[in-house]
Amino acid sequence: MSQTRLRLGVLISGRGSNLQALIDASATSAFPAEIALVVSNVANAEGLDRARQAGLETTVIDHKLFLDRAPFEDAITAALEAAGVQLICLAGFMRLLTPGFVTHWRDRMINIHPSLLPAYRGLNTHERALADGVRFTGCTVHYVRPDCDAGPIIAQAAVPVAPDDTPETLAERVLLSEHQIYPEAVRLIAEGRTRIVNEHVLISGTSLPPSTINPKV
Ligand code: GRF
């Protein structure tokens, strides 16, 4: 069974709640992907404990031990390839990636971002959404391209903004949706149902795009 599942490499830097969502999803044998390796650039990342508890292979590749980004990324690629990784899932990985790394893993690397891209790329998304008074925000899973938080969109979830939201309460609610759509996006890819045409993701086998509105206001 395990040979036929897509082998994931999950890159983290911190808490690892999205990693946990992928761990939980892949715990069921019906899920078409499994986590082959968890890579952290931070030795005491909470996500590493989650991975170890799940019995997963982990490795720490500390960016501070490298003089430049390229050799740091080469070490990551070597670890991922040694583990037979077929798809990288960035899950709160807080290092900018060079075009060389992104090109090497083109269409084999996805990211989750806490906004409805292309709105609010970068950091502090919830603060900025609240400052703008938007009624909806959300989260996005996308294929990775050299520009930060850009690339073909696989799945999104919209989350209503409540009048009394703070960045913290909004982040907490968006995170619930992140945990739904990240495994959903991985499933679509693992089932071979995604195709990138003109930098848009086409999904086969459904008439609806894989997007949800989170009803929990
Ligand atoms: C998430 O909000 C994710 O969208 C963003 O970084 C955060 C990581 O959280 N890229 P966690 O480490 O998965 O809990």
Side-chain angles (χ1 to χ4, degrees):
M1 170 199 68
S2 63
Q3 277 99 343
T4 61
R5 300 171 95 193
L6 189 74
R7 293 177 69 77
L8 309 177
V10 185
L11 270 53
I12 63 166
S13 298
R15 180 179 54 185
S17 70
N18 279 290
L19 164 65
Q20 188 68 56
L22 294 172
I23 290 172
D24 294 345
S26 54
T28 62
S29 59
F31 192 72
E34 63 188 353
I35 300 173
L37 183 65
V38 175
V39 179
S40 175
N41 66 313
V42 176
N44 62 356
E46 190 188 333
L48 283 172
D49 295 331
R50 298 176 187 268
R52 291 186 194 114
Q53 253 166 37
L56 297 174
E57 286 294 314
T58 63
T59 185
V60 175
I61 301 178
D62 183 349
H63 61 280
K64 295 196 290 299
L65 302 179
F66 296 82
L67 290 177
D68 211 344
R69 281 186 201 277
F72 163 64
E73 292 173 346
D74 287 347
I76 293 176
T77 290
L80 293 170
E81 289 182 347
V85 164
Q86 297 165 295
L87 179 73
I88 296 179
C89 300
L90 301 177
F93 185 66
M94 300 303 286
R95 304 302 299 167
L96 290 175
L97 299 168
T98 67
F101 185 81
V102 174
T103 301
H104 181 81
W105 291 97
R106 188 180 169 94
D107 300 346
R108 298 184 296 147
M109 176 160 58
I110 63 176
N111 180 43
I112 183 143
H113 184 75
S115 76
L116 290 174
L117 290 174
Y120 306 117
R121 289 176 174 152
L123 299 174
N124 305 317
T125 55
H126 306 302
E127 283 86 342
R128 288 186 283 142
L130 289 175
D132 285 345
V134 298
R135 296 292 192 246
F136 283 89
T137 184
C139 51
T140 303
V141 181
H142 63 97
Y143 284 102
V144 175
R145 294 292 183 259
D147 283 345
C148 188
D149 300 323
I153 291 168
I154 305 160
Q156 290 188 308
V159 176
V161 178
D164 58 350
D165 260 330
T166 64
E168 292 73 29
T169 60
L170 190 53
E172 214 173 286
R173 234 164 44 256
V174 169
L175 199 60
L176 297 176
S177 292
E178 294 184 37
H179 298 163
Q180 290 173 8
I181 67 168
Y182 213 3
E184 183 190 354
V186 168
R187 170 188 289 281
L188 290 171
I189 294 168
E191 288 177 348
R193 292 168 57 195
T194 61
R195 203 156 48 94
I196 303 172
V197 178
N198 295 330
E199 290 297 82
H200 288 183
V201 177
L202 305 184
I203 312 278
S204 62
T206 174
S207 54
L208 289 172
S211 310
T212 57
I213 294 182
N214 191 332
K216 303 183 197 84
V217 183

